[in-house]
Amino acid sequence: MLTFYYAPGSCALASLIALEESDLAYEHRRLILANGDQRQPEYLAINPKGRVPALLTDKGILTENIAILAYIAQIAPAARLAPLDDPFEFAQMQAFNSYLSSTVHVNHSHKGRGARWTDDAAAIETMKAKVPQTMAESFALIEDKMLKGPWVMGDQYTVADCYLFTMATWLPGDNVDRDQFTKVSAHYRRMLDRPAVQRALAIEKG
Ligand SMILES: N[C@@H](CCC(=O)N[C@@H](CS)C(=O)NCC(=O)O)C(=O)O
């Protein structure tokens, strides 16, 4: 049995959607980041990073969306959540996911988590002010050069779509107009139509 640790409004939504897209049996456990649940000793014993998501498997713990998404796609092949038969296509999907994790997510974190990088209050405010620009620039690149359409990888829906949707939910809160990106906003609406996405959002709401 798998146990998935998530928090509402967080990047864990990507892996939660992928789990819902799969036929895997799993339990979910909710953390509230604003309450500091991620820093409690019980959770640090599961994920010493103090972050969500985390997936407890019969082989041990997995952290990082990129790893969890690839794992779900591989252990639930019937759901066809990745190009499992084509190493190059698989690597391209991982390149997309890595851009979301290492660049887009980090852009976004400068809004609420600036204290990770500096103790200087003025610098924290400067970082916050930059977020609409960096997020808009990243999404312009995704729109123009990365999102093949209708899904990230073209005709095959993959876990990269779960991840892109999750980052796109953050745009209004980051003061970026999602509708300026025609392909991204069409992708967002297409995702909202999927029953698995609706179930994941309902789980998030609690
Ligand atoms: N690279 C990690 C990032 C995980 C991460 O930073 N998660 C955030 C939520 S979006 C978190 O748990 N933040 C809690 C904190 O910083 O205290 C991944 O993609 O899984």
Side-chain angles (χ1 to χ4, degrees), residues 9 18 21 40 59 73 126 131 157-158 164:
E21 295 280 6
Q40 295 305 311
K59 291 183 193 256
T126 309
V131 172
Y157 177 86
T158 68
L164 176 61

Side-chain angles (χ1 to χ4, degrees), residues 38-102:
Q38 72 277 27
R39 289 187 289 273
Q40 295 305 311
E42 308 82 59
Y43 186 67
L44 291 175
I46 293 159
N47 180 7
K49 293 175 180 171
R51 306 272 183 99
V52 290
L55 183 68
L56 190 55
T57 78
D58 57 3
K59 291 183 193 256
I61 193 78
L62 269 182
T63 61
E64 302 292 331
N65 273 297
I66 299 176
I68 296 171
L69 290 169
Y71 181 68
I72 293 168
Q74 283 174 318
I75 65 170
R80 294 178 42 81
L81 293 172
L84 297 175
D85 299 333
D86 187 329
F88 184 77
E89 286 274 308
F90 191 88
Q92 280 198 318
M93 183 192 80
Q94 291 300 74
F96 186 92
N97 288 339
S98 298
Y99 182 70
L100 295 184
S101 177
S102 65

